[in-house]
């Protein structure tokens, strides 16, 4: 079983790891693209679910470049981003926290561990949400898009070395790939994930943080 005491730096994704917000994000894409063909929107939502952790900027660009190409791409992407942000800023304030995560964060903080967020969510928006929900004090820095997961880990590495004492809690393929790229241990939080076919090589998998607390308490 994993010994969390050996790690010094703890990195967390947000959607599906800290907040139960994956389904909320899917609804946000529907909301932002309400005027587009439903069949096309369904394709984007599937792309979104298959590529968790990739920013909304890339996903709307993909929609208007690959799924529904249009000469008005830049204008349409801008409008979709505005609608998406309006929906998410409102609904993320109401999303449930993942069971046990607050207790786990408190436990790590009491041990003086260094905590960071690395999310595909918009960075400014996410900091506002975490401040409003009193989640920000747990974390040294909260990083998000338009930087991607790899770039954000590099940003964290400028604050604290990324090595074998770093661990990443995620729920998507992009989280797993990022952890592999930088040589970090990975913990898959599966209970609220939309990742249908997780990599069979993942060693550590928990439904939520209550399940983790059962083995570390």
């Amino acid at each position: 079983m994993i010994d969390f005491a050996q790690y010094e730096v703890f990195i967390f994704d947000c959607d599906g790891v800290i907040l139960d917000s994956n389904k909320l994000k899917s609804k946000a894409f529907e909301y932002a693209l309400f005027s587009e063909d439903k069949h096309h929107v369904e394709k984007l939502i599937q792309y979104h679910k298959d590529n968790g952790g990739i920013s909304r900027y890339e996903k709307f660009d993909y929609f208007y470049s690959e799924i529904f190409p249009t000469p008005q791409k830049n204008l349409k992407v801008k409008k979709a981003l505005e609608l998406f942000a309006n929906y998410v800023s409102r609904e993320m304030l109401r999303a449930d926290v993942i069971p046990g995560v607050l207790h786990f964060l408190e436990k790590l903080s009491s041990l003086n561990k260094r905590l960071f967020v690395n999310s595909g969510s918009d960075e400014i928006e996410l900091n506002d949400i975490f401040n409003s929900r009193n989640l920000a004090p747990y974390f040294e820095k909260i990083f998000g898009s338009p930087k991607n997961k790899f770039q954000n880990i590099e940003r964290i590495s400028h604050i604290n070395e990324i090595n074998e004492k770093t661990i990443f809690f995620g729920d998507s393929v992009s989280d797993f790939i990022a952890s592999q790229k930088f040589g970090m241990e990975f913990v898959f939080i599966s209970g609220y994930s939309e990742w249908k076919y997780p990599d069979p090589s993942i060693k550590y998998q928990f439904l939520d943080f209550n399940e983790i607390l059962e083995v570390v308490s």
Side-chain angles (χ1 to χ4, degrees):
M1 184 54 68
I2 188 168
D3 177 14
F4 290 105
Q6 68 180 301
Y7 298 98
E8 296 299 328
V9 179
F10 291 72
I11 302 175
F12 296 79
D13 178 39
C14 175
D15 298 323
V17 176
I18 296 173
L19 296 177
D20 182 11
S21 47
N22 279 321
K23 291 181 180 178
L24 179 160
K25 293 294 179 69
S26 294
K27 291 180 180 178
F29 281 108
E30 290 181 5
Y31 179 84
L33 297 170
F34 73 95
S35 63
E36 305 295 359
D37 181 88
K38 185 178 180 181
H39 179 66
H40 291 147
V41 176
E42 288 174 352
K43 285 185 177 181
L44 178 67
I45 291 173
Q46 190 58 55
Y47 177 79
H48 157 67
K49 291 179 178 179
D50 292 340
N51 294 275
I54 295 177
S55 77
R56 69 190 69 170
Y57 302 92
E58 293 181 61
K59 289 172 181 174
F60 283 124
D61 186 85
Y62 178 82
F63 180 80
Y64 285 115
S65 297
E66 303 295 331
I67 296 176
F68 184 52
T70 172
Q72 297 178 304
K73 185 183 82 169
N74 291 341
L75 183 63
K76 284 182 171 287
V77 167
K78 181 181 178 181
K79 181 62 177 177
L81 285 169
E82 290 173 356
L83 291 171
F84 189 97
N86 289 339
Y87 185 93
V88 168
S89 295
R90 179 177 68 250
E91 297 301 323
M92 287 282 277
L93 295 174
R94 299 196 283 236
D96 292 334
V97 294
I98 299 300
V101 70
L102 294 180
H103 187 185
F104 188 63
L105 293 174
E106 289 165 2
K107 193 177 191 72
L108 296 178
S109 296
S110 72
L111 296 172
N112 296 315
K113 302 297 185 179
R114 305 191 74 173
L115 279 58
F116 298 88
V117 172
N118 180 10
S119 173
S121 297
D122 180 85
E123 185 170 307
I124 295 174
E125 178 184 279
L126 194 59
N127 273 273
D128 288 343
I129 291 165
F130 271 47
N131 277 306
S132 295
R133 300 196 59 158
N134 296 316
L135 291 168
Y138 291 111
F139 301 98
E140 200 162 328
K141 288 286 184 179
I142 298 165
F143 294 120
S145 62
K147 300 289 187 182
N148 62 38
K149 295 284 176 91
F150 304 133
Q151 292 169 324
N152 285 334
I153 293 174
E154 289 173 351
R155 294 165 77 189
I156 294 171
S157 73
H158 294 314
I159 302 171
N160 196 101
E161 182 183 0
I162 301 297
N163 54 32
E164 70 279 358
K165 292 187 177 182
T166 306
I167 188 167
F168 191 173
F169 295 80
D171 75 325
S172 69
V173 63
S174 66
D175 297 331
F176 178 62
I177 292 172
S179 69
Q180 286 192 312
K181 178 179 174 66
F182 287 88
M184 296 180 286
E185 190 60 81
F186 179 71
V187 176
F188 178 39
I189 304 300
S190 64
Y192 301 81
S193 173
E194 294 181 321
W195 190 10
K196 288 186 177 180
Y197 305 106
D199 193 294
S201 69
I202 294 173
K203 290 190 296 182
Y204 302 113
Q205 176 174 328
F206 299 90
L207 288 174
D208 56 31
F209 289 89
N210 278 337
E211 194 168 79
I212 290 177
L213 288 165
E214 289 177 3
V215 300
V216 299
S217 298

Short mmCIF file of all heavy atoms in Angstrom, two decimals, residues 49-90:
data_model
loop_
_atom_site.label_atom_id
_atom_site.label_comp_id
_atom_site.label_asym_id
_atom_site.label_seq_id
_atom_site.Cartn_x
_atom_site.Cartn_y
_atom_site.Cartn_z
N LYS A 49 -14.82 14.38 -22.99
CA LYS A 49 -14.72 13.29 -22.03
C LYS A 49 -13.51 12.41 -22.30
O LYS A 49 -12.88 11.89 -21.37
CB LYS A 49 -16.00 12.45 -22.06
CG LYS A 49 -17.22 13.18 -21.51
CD LYS A 49 -18.47 12.30 -21.59
CE LYS A 49 -19.68 13.01 -21.00
NZ LYS A 49 -20.90 12.18 -21.10
N ASP A 50 -13.19 12.24 -23.58
CA ASP A 50 -12.05 11.40 -23.95
C ASP A 50 -10.72 12.11 -23.73
O ASP A 50 -9.66 11.47 -23.78
CB ASP A 50 -12.15 10.98 -25.42
CG ASP A 50 -13.30 10.03 -25.69
OD1 ASP A 50 -13.78 9.40 -24.72
OD2 ASP A 50 -13.72 9.91 -26.85
N ASN A 51 -10.77 13.42 -23.54
CA ASN A 51 -9.54 14.21 -23.41
C ASN A 51 -9.61 15.10 -22.18
O ASN A 51 -9.37 16.30 -22.25
CB ASN A 51 -9.32 15.05 -24.67
CG ASN A 51 -9.04 14.21 -25.90
OD1 ASN A 51 -7.91 13.82 -26.15
ND2 ASN A 51 -10.10 13.89 -26.64
N GLY A 52 -9.95 14.49 -21.06
CA GLY A 52 -10.04 15.23 -19.82
C GLY A 52 -8.73 15.92 -19.49
O GLY A 52 -7.66 15.36 -19.70
N GLY A 53 -8.82 17.13 -18.97
CA GLY A 53 -7.63 17.87 -18.60
C GLY A 53 -7.13 18.83 -19.65
O GLY A 53 -6.29 19.68 -19.37
N ILE A 54 -7.64 18.68 -20.88
CA ILE A 54 -7.29 19.63 -21.94
C ILE A 54 -8.20 20.85 -21.78
O ILE A 54 -9.38 20.73 -21.49
CB ILE A 54 -7.46 19.00 -23.33
CG1 ILE A 54 -6.46 17.84 -23.50
CG2 ILE A 54 -7.26 20.02 -24.43
CD1 ILE A 54 -6.60 17.11 -24.81
N SER A 55 -7.65 22.02 -22.00
CA SER A 55 -8.39 23.24 -21.70
C SER A 55 -9.55 23.47 -22.64
O SER A 55 -9.59 22.97 -23.77
CB SER A 55 -7.45 24.45 -21.77
OG SER A 55 -7.20 24.81 -23.11
N ARG A 56 -10.50 24.28 -22.20
CA ARG A 56 -11.66 24.67 -23.02
C ARG A 56 -11.21 25.42 -24.27
O ARG A 56 -11.87 25.34 -25.30
CB ARG A 56 -12.59 25.57 -22.19
CG ARG A 56 -12.00 26.93 -21.88
CD ARG A 56 -12.79 27.73 -20.88
NE ARG A 56 -12.72 27.16 -19.55
CZ ARG A 56 -13.17 27.78 -18.46
NH1 ARG A 56 -13.72 28.98 -18.56
NH2 ARG A 56 -13.07 27.24 -17.28
N TYR A 57 -10.11 26.14 -24.18
CA TYR A 57 -9.60 26.90 -25.33
C TYR A 57 -9.30 25.95 -26.49
O TYR A 57 -9.69 26.20 -27.64
CB TYR A 57 -8.33 27.67 -24.95
CG TYR A 57 -8.51 28.62 -23.79
CD1 TYR A 57 -8.26 28.22 -22.48
CD2 TYR A 57 -8.95 29.92 -24.01
CE1 TYR A 57 -8.43 29.08 -21.42
CE2 TYR A 57 -9.13 30.81 -22.95
CZ TYR A 57 -8.88 30.37 -21.65
OH TYR A 57 -9.07 31.24 -20.60
N GLU A 58 -8.61 24.86 -26.18
CA GLU A 58 -8.28 23.87 -27.20
C GLU A 58 -9.53 23.16 -27.70
O GLU A 58 -9.64 22.84 -28.89
CB GLU A 58 -7.29 22.85 -26.64
CG GLU A 58 -5.93 23.42 -26.32
CD GLU A 58 -4.99 22.36 -25.78
OE1 GLU A 58 -4.72 21.39 -26.50
OE2 GLU A 58 -4.53 22.49 -24.63
N LYS A 59 -10.48 22.90 -26.81
CA LYS A 59 -11.67 22.15 -27.20
C LYS A 59 -12.60 22.95 -28.09
O LYS A 59 -13.15 22.43 -29.07
CB LYS A 59 -12.39 21.63 -25.95
CG LYS A 59 -11.62 20.51 -25.27
CD LYS A 59 -12.20 20.12 -23.93
CE LYS A 59 -11.36 19.02 -23.30
NZ LYS A 59 -11.78 18.70 -21.93
N PHE A 60 -12.79 24.22 -27.80
CA PHE A 60 -13.62 25.05 -28.69
C PHE A 60 -12.92 25.29 -30.02
O PHE A 60 -13.58 25.35 -31.07
CB PHE A 60 -13.97 26.38 -28.01
CG PHE A 60 -15.04 26.27 -26.97
CD1 PHE A 60 -14.83 26.70 -25.68
CD2 PHE A 60 -16.29 25.74 -27.30
CE1 PHE A 60 -15.83 26.61 -24.71
CE2 PHE A 60 -17.30 25.64 -26.34
CZ PHE A 60 -17.07 26.07 -25.05
N ASP A 61 -11.61 25.43 -29.99
CA ASP A 61 -10.86 25.55 -31.25
C ASP A 61 -11.03 24.30 -32.08
O ASP A 61 -11.21 24.37 -33.30
CB ASP A 61 -9.38 25.80 -30.95
CG ASP A 61 -8.59 26.09 -32.21
OD1 ASP A 61 -8.56 27.26 -32.65
OD2 ASP A 61 -8.01 25.14 -32.77
N TYR A 62 -10.98 23.14 -31.43
CA TYR A 62 -11.17 21.86 -32.13
C TYR A 62 -12.57 21.78 -32.72
O TYR A 62 -12.75 21.32 -33.86
CB TYR A 62 -10.95 20.71 -31.14
CG TYR A 62 -11.17 19.34 -31.73
CD1 TYR A 62 -10.18 18.70 -32.46
CD2 TYR A 62 -12.38 18.67 -31.55
CE1 TYR A 62 -10.38 17.44 -33.00
CE2 TYR A 62 -12.60 17.41 -32.08
CZ TYR A 62 -11.59 16.80 -32.81
OH TYR A 62 -11.81 15.55 -33.35
N PHE A 63 -13.56 22.24 -31.97
CA PHE A 63 -14.94 22.18 -32.45
C PHE A 63 -15.10 22.96 -33.74
O PHE A 63 -15.68 22.46 -34.72
CB PHE A 63 -15.90 22.74 -31.39
CG PHE A 63 -17.35 22.71 -31.81
CD1 PHE A 63 -18.09 21.54 -31.73
CD2 PHE A 63 -17.97 23.86 -32.27
CE1 PHE A 63 -19.42 21.50 -32.12
CE2 PHE A 63 -19.31 23.83 -32.67
CZ PHE A 63 -20.03 22.65 -32.59
N TYR A 64 -14.61 24.20 -33.75
CA TYR A 64 -14.81 25.07 -34.91
C TYR A 64 -13.76 24.88 -36.00
O TYR A 64 -13.86 25.49 -37.06
CB TYR A 64 -14.87 26.53 -34.47
CG TYR A 64 -16.18 26.87 -33.78
CD1 TYR A 64 -16.22 27.24 -32.44
CD2 TYR A 64 -17.39 26.81 -34.48
CE1 TYR A 64 -17.42 27.55 -31.82
CE2 TYR A 64 -18.59 27.11 -33.87
CZ TYR A 64 -18.61 27.49 -32.54
OH TYR A 64 -19.80 27.79 -31.93
N SER A 65 -12.77 24.01 -35.74
CA SER A 65 -11.78 23.69 -36.77
C SER A 65 -12.02 22.33 -37.39
O SER A 65 -11.86 22.15 -38.60
CB SER A 65 -10.36 23.71 -36.17
OG SER A 65 -10.01 24.98 -35.71
N GLU A 66 -12.43 21.35 -36.55
CA GLU A 66 -12.54 19.96 -37.01
C GLU A 66 -13.97 19.45 -37.08
O GLU A 66 -14.35 18.78 -38.04
CB GLU A 66 -11.71 19.05 -36.08
CG GLU A 66 -10.25 19.44 -35.96
CD GLU A 66 -9.49 19.30 -37.26
OE1 GLU A 66 -9.86 18.45 -38.08
OE2 GLU A 66 -8.52 20.05 -37.45
N ILE A 67 -14.76 19.72 -36.07
CA ILE A 67 -16.13 19.18 -36.04
C ILE A 67 -17.07 20.02 -36.89
O ILE A 67 -17.86 19.49 -37.68
CB ILE A 67 -16.65 19.10 -34.59
CG1 ILE A 67 -15.79 18.11 -33.78
CG2 ILE A 67 -18.12 18.65 -34.57
CD1 ILE A 67 -16.16 18.04 -32.31
N PHE A 68 -16.98 21.32 -36.74
CA PHE A 68 -17.86 22.23 -37.48
C PHE A 68 -17.04 23.43 -37.97
O PHE A 68 -17.14 24.52 -37.42
CB PHE A 68 -19.02 22.68 -36.58
CG PHE A 68 -20.03 23.54 -37.28
CD1 PHE A 68 -20.61 23.15 -38.48
CD2 PHE A 68 -20.42 24.75 -36.72
CE1 PHE A 68 -21.54 23.96 -39.13
CE2 PHE A 68 -21.35 25.57 -37.35
CZ PHE A 68 -21.91 25.16 -38.57
N PRO A 69 -16.21 23.22 -38.99
CA PRO A 69 -15.35 24.31 -39.48
C PRO A 69 -16.17 25.51 -39.95
O PRO A 69 -17.23 25.35 -40.56
CB PRO A 69 -14.61 23.66 -40.67
CG PRO A 69 -14.69 22.19 -40.42
CD PRO A 69 -16.01 21.97 -39.74
N THR A 70 -15.68 26.69 -39.63
CA THR A 70 -16.38 27.91 -40.01
C THR A 70 -15.38 29.04 -40.22
O THR A 70 -14.37 29.12 -39.48
CB THR A 70 -17.39 28.33 -38.92
OG1 THR A 70 -17.91 29.62 -39.24
CG2 THR A 70 -16.73 28.37 -37.55
N PRO A 71 -15.59 29.91 -41.20
CA PRO A 71 -14.71 31.05 -41.41
C PRO A 71 -14.80 32.06 -40.26
O PRO A 71 -13.95 32.94 -40.14
CB PRO A 71 -15.20 31.65 -42.73
CG PRO A 71 -16.61 31.19 -42.87
CD PRO A 71 -16.64 29.83 -42.25
N GLN A 72 -15.83 31.94 -39.44
CA GLN A 72 -16.01 32.84 -38.29
C GLN A 72 -15.47 32.23 -37.00
O GLN A 72 -15.92 32.56 -35.91
CB GLN A 72 -17.50 33.17 -38.11
CG GLN A 72 -18.12 33.91 -39.28
CD GLN A 72 -19.61 34.15 -39.05
OE1 GLN A 72 -20.39 33.23 -38.82
NE2 GLN A 72 -19.99 35.42 -39.08
N LYS A 73 -14.49 31.34 -37.14
CA LYS A 73 -14.01 30.57 -36.00
C LYS A 73 -13.63 31.45 -34.81
O LYS A 73 -14.09 31.21 -33.68
CB LYS A 73 -12.81 29.71 -36.40
CG LYS A 73 -12.35 28.79 -35.26
CD LYS A 73 -11.11 27.99 -35.64
CE LYS A 73 -9.87 28.84 -35.46
NZ LYS A 73 -8.64 28.01 -35.56
N ASN A 74 -12.80 32.44 -35.00
CA ASN A 74 -12.31 33.26 -33.88
C ASN A 74 -13.44 33.94 -33.13
O ASN A 74 -13.46 33.96 -31.89
CB ASN A 74 -11.31 34.30 -34.38
CG ASN A 74 -10.01 33.68 -34.85
OD1 ASN A 74 -9.69 32.54 -34.50
ND2 ASN A 74 -9.26 34.40 -35.66
N LEU A 75 -14.40 34.46 -33.87
CA LEU A 75 -15.55 35.13 -33.25
C LEU A 75 -16.40 34.14 -32.47
O LEU A 75 -16.83 34.41 -31.34
CB LEU A 75 -16.39 35.82 -34.33
CG LEU A 75 -17.60 36.63 -33.85
CD1 LEU A 75 -17.14 37.78 -32.95
CD2 LEU A 75 -18.40 37.16 -35.04
N LYS A 76 -16.63 32.97 -33.07
CA LYS A 76 -17.48 31.96 -32.43
C LYS A 76 -16.79 31.37 -31.19
O LYS A 76 -17.44 31.10 -30.17
CB LYS A 76 -17.84 30.87 -33.43
CG LYS A 76 -18.91 31.30 -34.43
CD LYS A 76 -19.27 30.17 -35.38
CE LYS A 76 -20.48 30.50 -36.23
NZ LYS A 76 -21.74 30.46 -35.46
N VAL A 77 -15.50 31.15 -31.28
CA VAL A 77 -14.76 30.64 -30.12
C VAL A 77 -14.83 31.63 -28.98
O VAL A 77 -15.06 31.26 -27.81
CB VAL A 77 -13.29 30.33 -30.48
CG1 VAL A 77 -12.46 30.11 -29.22
CG2 VAL A 77 -13.20 29.11 -31.39
N LYS A 78 -14.65 32.91 -29.28
CA LYS A 78 -14.70 33.95 -28.25
C LYS A 78 -16.06 33.97 -27.56
O LYS A 78 -16.14 34.04 -26.32
CB LYS A 78 -14.41 35.32 -28.87
CG LYS A 78 -14.42 36.46 -27.87
CD LYS A 78 -14.15 37.80 -28.54
CE LYS A 78 -14.20 38.94 -27.52
NZ LYS A 78 -13.96 40.26 -28.16
N LYS A 79 -17.13 33.89 -28.33
CA LYS A 79 -18.47 33.90 -27.76
C LYS A 79 -18.72 32.66 -26.91
O LYS A 79 -19.29 32.75 -25.80
CB LYS A 79 -19.51 33.98 -28.88
CG LYS A 79 -20.95 34.02 -28.39
CD LYS A 79 -21.23 35.24 -27.52
CE LYS A 79 -22.69 35.31 -27.10
NZ LYS A 79 -22.94 36.46 -26.20
N ALA A 80 -18.29 31.51 -27.42
CA ALA A 80 -18.47 30.26 -26.68
C ALA A 80 -17.71 30.29 -25.36
O ALA A 80 -18.21 29.83 -24.32
CB ALA A 80 -18.02 29.07 -27.53
N LEU A 81 -16.51 30.83 -25.37
CA LEU A 81 -15.71 30.93 -24.15
C LEU A 81 -16.39 31.82 -23.12
O LEU A 81 -16.37 31.52 -21.91
CB LEU A 81 -14.32 31.47 -24.47
CG LEU A 81 -13.35 30.49 -25.14
CD1 LEU A 81 -12.11 31.21 -25.66
CD2 LEU A 81 -12.95 29.37 -24.18
N GLU A 82 -17.00 32.89 -23.56
CA GLU A 82 -17.71 33.79 -22.65
C GLU A 82 -18.89 33.09 -21.99
O GLU A 82 -19.09 33.18 -20.77
CB GLU A 82 -18.19 35.03 -23.40
CG GLU A 82 -17.07 35.97 -23.84
CD GLU A 82 -17.57 37.10 -24.72
OE1 GLU A 82 -18.77 37.11 -25.06
OE2 GLU A 82 -16.76 37.98 -25.06
N LEU A 83 -19.68 32.40 -22.80
CA LEU A 83 -20.84 31.68 -22.26
C LEU A 83 -20.40 30.56 -21.31
O LEU A 83 -20.99 30.35 -20.24
CB LEU A 83 -21.67 31.10 -23.40
CG LEU A 83 -22.43 32.12 -24.27
CD1 LEU A 83 -23.03 31.44 -25.49
CD2 LEU A 83 -23.52 32.80 -23.45
N PHE A 84 -19.35 29.84 -21.71
CA PHE A 84 -18.82 28.75 -20.89
C PHE A 84 -18.37 29.29 -19.53
O PHE A 84 -18.70 28.72 -18.47
CB PHE A 84 -17.65 28.09 -21.61
CG PHE A 84 -17.15 26.82 -20.98
CD1 PHE A 84 -17.57 25.58 -21.44
CD2 PHE A 84 -16.23 26.86 -19.94
CE1 PHE A 84 -17.09 24.41 -20.86
CE2 PHE A 84 -15.75 25.70 -19.36
CZ PHE A 84 -16.18 24.47 -19.83
N ALA A 85 -17.63 30.40 -19.55
CA ALA A 85 -17.12 30.99 -18.31
C ALA A 85 -18.25 31.45 -17.40
O ALA A 85 -18.19 31.27 -16.17
CB ALA A 85 -16.19 32.15 -18.63
N ASN A 86 -19.29 32.02 -17.98
CA ASN A 86 -20.43 32.48 -17.18
C ASN A 86 -21.10 31.32 -16.46
O ASN A 86 -21.44 31.41 -15.28
CB ASN A 86 -21.45 33.19 -18.08
CG ASN A 86 -20.96 34.53 -18.57
OD1 ASN A 86 -20.06 35.12 -17.99
ND2 ASN A 86 -21.54 35.01 -19.66
N TYR A 87 -21.27 30.22 -17.19
CA TYR A 87 -21.92 29.04 -16.63
C TYR A 87 -21.06 28.43 -15.52
O TYR A 87 -21.53 28.15 -14.41
CB TYR A 87 -22.18 28.01 -17.73
CG TYR A 87 -22.94 26.79 -17.27
CD1 TYR A 87 -24.33 26.73 -17.39
CD2 TYR A 87 -22.29 25.69 -16.73
CE1 TYR A 87 -25.04 25.61 -16.98
CE2 TYR A 87 -22.98 24.57 -16.31
CZ TYR A 87 -24.36 24.54 -16.45
OH TYR A 87 -25.05 23.43 -16.02
N VAL A 88 -19.78 28.23 -15.82
CA VAL A 88 -18.88 27.57 -14.88
C VAL A 88 -18.66 28.40 -13.62
O VAL A 88 -18.67 27.87 -12.50
CB VAL A 88 -17.53 27.25 -15.57
CG1 VAL A 88 -16.48 26.85 -14.55
CG2 VAL A 88 -17.72 26.15 -16.60
N SER A 89 -18.48 29.71 -13.77
CA SER A 89 -18.25 30.56 -12.61
C SER A 89 -19.41 30.48 -11.62
O SER A 89 -19.20 30.55 -10.40
CB SER A 89 -18.05 32.01 -13.06
OG SER A 89 -16.89 32.15 -13.83
N ARG A 90 -20.60 30.31 -12.13
CA ARG A 90 -21.78 30.21 -11.28
C ARG A 90 -21.91 28.81 -10.66
O ARG A 90 -22.10 28.66 -9.45
CB ARG A 90 -23.03 30.54 -12.11
CG ARG A 90 -24.34 30.45 -11.34
CD ARG A 90 -25.51 30.85 -12.21
NE ARG A 90 -25.77 29.91 -13.28
CZ ARG A 90 -25.55 30.15 -14.58
NH1 ARG A 90 -25.06 31.31 -14.96
NH2 ARG A 90 -25.83 29.24 -15.50
#
